[in-house]
mmCIF file of all heavy atoms in Angstrom:
data_model
loop_
_atom_site.group_PDB
_atom_site.id
_atom_site.type_symbol
_atom_site.label_atom_id
_atom_site.label_comp_id
_atom_site.label_asym_id
_atom_site.label_seq_id
_atom_site.Cartn_x
_atom_site.Cartn_y
_atom_site.Cartn_z
ATOM 1 N N PHE A 106 141.210 -169.528 158.802
ATOM 2 C CA PHE A 106 140.708 -168.986 160.091
ATOM 3 C C PHE A 106 141.573 -169.207 161.244
ATOM 4 O O PHE A 106 141.859 -168.354 162.042
ATOM 5 C CB PHE A 106 139.337 -169.663 160.398
ATOM 6 C CG PHE A 106 138.716 -169.355 161.680
ATOM 7 C CD1 PHE A 106 138.130 -168.036 161.826
ATOM 8 C CD2 PHE A 106 138.672 -170.126 162.805
ATOM 9 C CE1 PHE A 106 137.587 -167.736 163.014
ATOM 10 C CE2 PHE A 106 138.164 -169.781 163.924
ATOM 11 C CZ PHE A 106 137.517 -168.534 164.067
ATOM 12 N N ALA A 107 142.177 -170.444 161.280
ATOM 13 C CA ALA A 107 143.099 -170.756 162.407
ATOM 14 C C ALA A 107 144.352 -169.844 162.382
ATOM 15 O O ALA A 107 144.816 -169.364 163.398
ATOM 16 C CB ALA A 107 143.582 -172.232 162.335
ATOM 17 N N THR A 108 144.940 -169.711 161.179
ATOM 18 C CA THR A 108 146.159 -168.959 161.116
ATOM 19 C C THR A 108 145.852 -167.352 161.314
ATOM 20 O O THR A 108 146.820 -166.616 161.543
ATOM 21 C CB THR A 108 146.871 -169.134 159.816
ATOM 22 O OG1 THR A 108 146.042 -168.984 158.776
ATOM 23 C CG2 THR A 108 147.473 -170.571 159.807
ATOM 24 N N THR A 109 144.608 -166.983 160.957
ATOM 25 C CA THR A 109 144.304 -165.684 161.252
ATOM 26 C C THR A 109 144.086 -165.216 162.733
ATOM 27 O O THR A 109 144.593 -164.225 163.202
ATOM 28 C CB THR A 109 142.949 -165.223 160.562
ATOM 29 O OG1 THR A 109 143.272 -165.539 159.062
ATOM 30 C CG2 THR A 109 142.607 -163.792 160.728
ATOM 31 N N ILE A 110 143.318 -166.074 163.428
ATOM 32 C CA ILE A 110 143.051 -165.827 164.823
ATOM 33 C C ILE A 110 144.264 -166.097 165.737
ATOM 34 O O ILE A 110 144.374 -165.770 166.895
ATOM 35 C CB ILE A 110 141.852 -166.555 165.388
ATOM 36 C CG1 ILE A 110 142.099 -168.105 165.331
ATOM 37 C CG2 ILE A 110 140.664 -166.293 164.498
ATOM 38 C CD1 ILE A 110 141.020 -168.961 165.999
ATOM 39 N N ALA A 111 145.218 -166.933 165.203
ATOM 40 C CA ALA A 111 146.389 -167.301 165.942
ATOM 41 C C ALA A 111 147.713 -166.983 165.046
ATOM 42 O O ALA A 111 148.305 -167.915 164.551
ATOM 43 C CB ALA A 111 146.318 -168.672 166.382
ATOM 44 N N PRO A 112 147.972 -165.723 164.860
ATOM 45 C CA PRO A 112 149.172 -165.403 163.947
ATOM 46 C C PRO A 112 150.416 -165.999 164.355
ATOM 47 O O PRO A 112 151.312 -166.368 163.586
ATOM 48 C CB PRO A 112 149.179 -163.926 163.979
ATOM 49 C CG PRO A 112 148.474 -163.377 165.197
ATOM 50 C CD PRO A 112 147.444 -164.516 165.355
ATOM 51 N N GLY A 113 150.569 -166.332 165.629
ATOM 52 C CA GLY A 113 151.776 -166.902 166.125
ATOM 53 C C GLY A 113 151.919 -168.352 165.603
ATOM 54 O O GLY A 113 153.014 -168.740 165.296
ATOM 55 N N LEU A 114 150.765 -169.046 165.450
ATOM 56 C CA LEU A 114 150.859 -170.335 164.820
ATOM 57 C C LEU A 114 151.396 -170.237 163.309
ATOM 58 O O LEU A 114 152.088 -171.068 162.922
ATOM 59 C CB LEU A 114 149.458 -170.988 164.802
ATOM 60 C CG LEU A 114 149.255 -172.209 164.015
ATOM 61 C CD1 LEU A 114 150.173 -173.360 164.677
ATOM 62 C CD2 LEU A 114 147.703 -172.733 164.112
ATOM 63 N N ARG A 115 150.985 -169.260 162.576
ATOM 64 C CA ARG A 115 151.412 -169.039 161.266
ATOM 65 C C ARG A 115 152.934 -168.943 161.240
ATOM 66 O O ARG A 115 153.667 -169.560 160.415
ATOM 67 C CB ARG A 115 150.788 -167.807 160.572
ATOM 68 C CG ARG A 115 151.247 -167.533 159.254
ATOM 69 C CD ARG A 115 150.473 -166.339 158.682
ATOM 70 N NE ARG A 115 150.912 -166.122 157.180
ATOM 71 C CZ ARG A 115 151.988 -165.470 156.931
ATOM 72 N NH1 ARG A 115 152.833 -165.023 157.809
ATOM 73 N NH2 ARG A 115 152.294 -165.307 155.628
ATOM 74 N N ASP A 116 153.445 -168.142 162.096
ATOM 75 C CA ASP A 116 154.910 -167.903 162.226
ATOM 76 C C ASP A 116 155.674 -169.171 162.610
ATOM 77 O O ASP A 116 156.773 -169.500 162.084
ATOM 78 C CB ASP A 116 155.270 -166.850 163.134
ATOM 79 C CG ASP A 116 154.773 -165.414 162.670
ATOM 80 O OD1 ASP A 116 154.319 -165.338 161.491
ATOM 81 O OD2 ASP A 116 154.774 -164.515 163.442
ATOM 82 N N VAL A 117 155.119 -169.916 163.523
ATOM 83 C CA VAL A 117 155.667 -171.308 163.791
ATOM 84 C C VAL A 117 155.775 -172.209 162.670
ATOM 85 O O VAL A 117 156.802 -172.854 162.358
ATOM 86 C CB VAL A 117 154.904 -171.953 165.028
ATOM 87 C CG1 VAL A 117 155.377 -173.379 165.142
ATOM 88 C CG2 VAL A 117 155.078 -171.215 166.284
ATOM 89 N N LEU A 118 154.722 -172.241 161.826
ATOM 90 C CA LEU A 118 154.737 -173.020 160.648
ATOM 91 C C LEU A 118 155.789 -172.542 159.619
ATOM 92 O O LEU A 118 156.493 -173.393 159.029
ATOM 93 C CB LEU A 118 153.369 -172.974 160.067
ATOM 94 C CG LEU A 118 152.269 -173.642 160.862
ATOM 95 C CD1 LEU A 118 150.867 -173.274 160.291
ATOM 96 C CD2 LEU A 118 152.460 -175.106 160.938
ATOM 97 N N LEU A 119 155.813 -171.177 159.445
ATOM 98 C CA LEU A 119 156.854 -170.727 158.500
ATOM 99 C C LEU A 119 158.278 -170.925 158.870
ATOM 100 O O LEU A 119 159.084 -171.511 158.103
ATOM 101 C CB LEU A 119 156.595 -169.361 158.180
ATOM 102 C CG LEU A 119 155.201 -168.916 157.527
ATOM 103 C CD1 LEU A 119 154.971 -167.407 157.462
ATOM 104 C CD2 LEU A 119 155.134 -169.527 156.236
ATOM 105 N N THR A 120 158.580 -170.527 160.089
ATOM 106 C CA THR A 120 159.965 -170.700 160.586
ATOM 107 C C THR A 120 160.241 -172.254 160.809
ATOM 108 O O THR A 120 161.397 -172.568 160.595
ATOM 109 C CB THR A 120 160.141 -170.012 161.892
ATOM 110 O OG1 THR A 120 159.146 -170.456 162.881
ATOM 111 C CG2 THR A 120 160.035 -168.496 161.721
#
Side-chain angles (χ1 to χ4, degrees):
F106 177 72
T108 54
T109 299
I110 63 171
L114 173 60
R115 180 180 182 277
D116 293 346
V117 168
L118 295 167
L119 294 174
T120 54

